[in-house]
């Protein structure tokens, strides 16, 4: 016999579990099916974000940053720590504890909200029926008024560097190393390449990042990307641009990475390779051909602005649909879809989604870059403030980097905010809120910021837009 629900969600990552909780809050009977199993065979909710993405990477970024600062910065503060030691097993155990606790928390939240959590695979059949196959059981039929697809994404594999799970690995395995590789090659100088490259470099690896594009962080405002690149270079991260990996060769003491750039053919020998060249949507085995859900040429589930698929009352959210592959983007889509199903009004503002790269310096931005505004022929004005003049950043020993604000030349409305520097990922929240409320730089100029805080840099950058910065010479 089939079980009936108002809503069945397939996938319990940050898109799916949030959609399920919101649907249940609306009083809709909701089930959430998720297939994730950790290497130890444990079934958990939370998806990539909690198990192999945002959370474990940030745990290791934090630990490795402490280690790095103890090694290179503590002496500046007059602190001696004697012989510094790294216990990677403890560091990894701390990360695993955080992941375990948070995953358990999601399970608890689903339960507390009355969501039926189901571990196993979901497959969409015609007419909003879902075939649910528990990991160790027979398929069951779930019937729903609405189905939400939230099956996420997985790493792209490079034919020139196929994963072997040991020496050529994806981002998930690169979070699990039990020893610091002496020489680490990273293919892809995007978000994952820089974050995970930073983790292992701080812990002592010689890291070489091979990036195919000629421009470093092409999606980031050029001025901010150049500043970040300068700082990464200073830290010893070897980033090679315009580098196309042609082949890999396994040898006794490592892997030879063969790549081409403008100068010709090159080879480097490393102990491990992390491939981080993007992620692809997961729809394998998800859609019965008669379910009526179209998939784009690049494999994403096709949706409109409200995340409706081509099948009536079937929705799709998160990494499996167009847009940036970010946890908070999927979560907000989950909230929107649950609200729409319940008959409420909701609309997602895709123009104001913040991005953060959790390296040191952190890089964070929202809205348009200067290059995008120029290309769109939009008249803009710009204000920049360097952290070098921020008392708080100096006190933190992190006074490199800048805040840049771009505003419409005519209306003064903020069009983009770009930050490279300490806690940029936290600071960007103010800019997101300002832009959500369609604020002008004058609004930011008039907002009182605590002293001494890093947020003063946002205040000063807003003032600089009109040549009125106080703690910088206006040019
Ligand atoms: P997922 O989190 O991938 O969840 C999908 C779930 O669906 C999984 O549990 C999967 O097992 C399940 N599933 C798939 N198919 C089926 C099926 N047929 N039946 C049942 N279940 C199924 N984003 C940020 O915003 N900030 C960060 O700091 C950040 N750091 C990252 C670091 C790394 C190393 C990686 C890899 C990613 C990071 N991301 C980050 C991206 C973020 O993890 C994703 O954008 C986010 O997890 C997408 O959420 P989702 O719910 O769409 O999919
Ligand atoms: P990405 O798109 O950020 O970067 C991939 C990089 O690999 C690009 O710079 C691309 O030019 C390069 N590349 C592609 N093919 C290549 C090749 N053959 N050789 C060399 N370089 C090549 O993708 P990612 O770093 O794999 O991350 C995947 C997704 O996960 C991203 O969409 C990102 O938004 C998300 N993510 C977010 C965070 C965060 O929010 N802090 C952290 C990690 C991952």
């Amino acid at each position: 016999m089939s079980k009936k629900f108002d809503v069945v969600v397939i996938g319990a990552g940050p898109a799916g579990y949030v959609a399920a909780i919101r649907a249940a809050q609306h009083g809709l009977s909701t089930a959430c099916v998720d297939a994730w199993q950790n290497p130890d065979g444990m079934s958990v909710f939370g998806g990539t974000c909690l198990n192999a993405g945002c959370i474990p990477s940030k745990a290791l970024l934090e630990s490795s940053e402490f280690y790095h600062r103890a090694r290179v910065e503590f002496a500046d503060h007059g602190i001696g720590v004697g012989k510094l030691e790294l216990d990677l097993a403890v560091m990894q155990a701390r990360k695993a504890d955080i992941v375990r606790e948070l995953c358990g928390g999601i399970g608890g939240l689903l339960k507390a909200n009355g969501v039926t959590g189901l571990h196993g695979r979901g497959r969409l059949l015609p007419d909003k029926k879902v075939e649910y196959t528990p990991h160790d059981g027979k398929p069951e039929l779930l019937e729903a008024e609405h189905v939400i697809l939230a099956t996420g994404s997985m790493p792209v594999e490079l034919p020139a560097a196929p994963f072997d799970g040991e020496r050529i690995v994806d981002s998930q395995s690169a979070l699990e190393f039990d020893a610091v590789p002496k020489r680490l090659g990273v293919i892809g100088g995007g978000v994952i390449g820089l974050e995970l490259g930073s983790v292992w470099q701080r812990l002592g690896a010689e890291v070489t990042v091979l990036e195919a594009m000629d421009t470093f962080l092409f999606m980031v405002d050029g001025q901010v990307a150049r500043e970040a690149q300068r700082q990464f270079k200073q830290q010893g991260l070897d980033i090679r641009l315009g580098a196309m990996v042609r082949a890999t060769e396994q040898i006794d003491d490592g892997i030879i990475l063969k790549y081409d750039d403008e100068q010709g053919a090159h080879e480097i020998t490393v102990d491990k390779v992390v491939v981080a060249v993007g992620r692809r949507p997961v729809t394998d085995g998800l859609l019965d051909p008669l379910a009526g859900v179209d998939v784009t040429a690049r494999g994403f589930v096709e949706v409109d602005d409200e995340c409706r698929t081509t099948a009536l009352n079937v929705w799709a959210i998160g990494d499996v649909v167009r847009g940036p592959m970010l946890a908070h983007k999927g979560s907000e889509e989950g909230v929107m879809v649950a609200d729409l199903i319940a008959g409420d009004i909701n609309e997602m503002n895709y123009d104001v989604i913040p991005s953060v790269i959790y390296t040191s310096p952190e890089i964070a931005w929202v809205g348009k870059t200067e290059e995008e505004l120029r290309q769109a022929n939009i008249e803009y004005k710009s204000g920049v403030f360097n952290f070098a003049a921020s008392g708080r950043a100096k006190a933190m020993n992190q006074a490199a980097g800048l805040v840049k604000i771009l505003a419409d030349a005519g209306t003064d409305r903020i069009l983009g905010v770009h930050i490279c520097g300490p806690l940029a990922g936290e600071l960007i929240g103010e800019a997101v809120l300002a832009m959500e409320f369609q604020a002008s730089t004058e609004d930011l100029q008039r907002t009182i910021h605590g002293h001494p805080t890093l947020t003063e840099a946002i205040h000063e950058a807003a003032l600089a837009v009109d040549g009125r910065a106080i703690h910088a010479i206006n040019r």
Side-chain angles (χ1 to χ4, degrees), residues 130-244:
V130 172
E131 182 187 72
Y132 159 57
T133 310
H135 289 306
D136 48 7
K138 290 202 187 83
E140 298 170 24
L141 199 62
L142 311 177
E143 287 185 61
E145 297 296 320
H146 294 263
V147 176
I148 304 174
L149 308 174
T151 47
S153 64
M154 63 188 295
V156 168
E157 187 161 16
L158 269 188
F163 298 129
D164 64 11
E166 205 30 61
R167 297 208 280 192
I168 303 181
V169 300
D170 63 11
S171 56
Q172 183 169 1
S173 301
L175 289 163
E176 302 298 336
F177 290 159
D178 56 11
V180 179
K182 192 171 165 330
R183 302 159 301 179
L184 178 67
V186 178
I187 308 180
V191 190
I192 293 181
L194 291 173
E195 289 189 353
L196 295 188
S198 292
V199 165
W200 296 110
Q201 192 245 341
R202 290 168 187 170
L203 297 180
E206 278 168 35
V207 177
T208 308
V209 179
L210 301 177
E211 164 58 46
M213 303 276 286
D214 294 323
T215 312
F216 180 60
L217 288 179
F218 61 94
M219 67 293 199
V220 173
D221 182 272
Q223 187 175 3
V224 162
R226 283 191 294 280
E227 170 59 23
Q229 190 179 7
R230 188 189 67 77
Q231 292 194 44
F232 291 139
K233 192 171 174 192
Q234 216 169 42
Q235 289 163 18
L237 208 54
D238 182 355
I239 301 169
R240 304 187 188 179
L241 299 177
M244 282 302 292

Side-chain angles (χ1 to χ4, degrees), residues 4-62:
K4 290 194 175 139
F5 294 92
D6 293 324
V7 179
V8 171
V9 184
I10 306 181
Y17 80 73
V18 169
I21 289 174
R22 183 67 151 222
Q25 285 172 347
H26 280 297
L28 301 166
S29 64
T30 305
C32 188
V33 185
D34 191 278
W36 191 281
Q37 283 188 300
N38 277 328
D40 60 5
M42 215 168 133
S43 297
V44 282
F45 297 116
T48 305
C49 169
L50 266 74
N51 292 290
C54 320
I55 302 304
S57 61
K58 266 78 253 178
L60 289 185
L61 277 157
E62 194 69 21

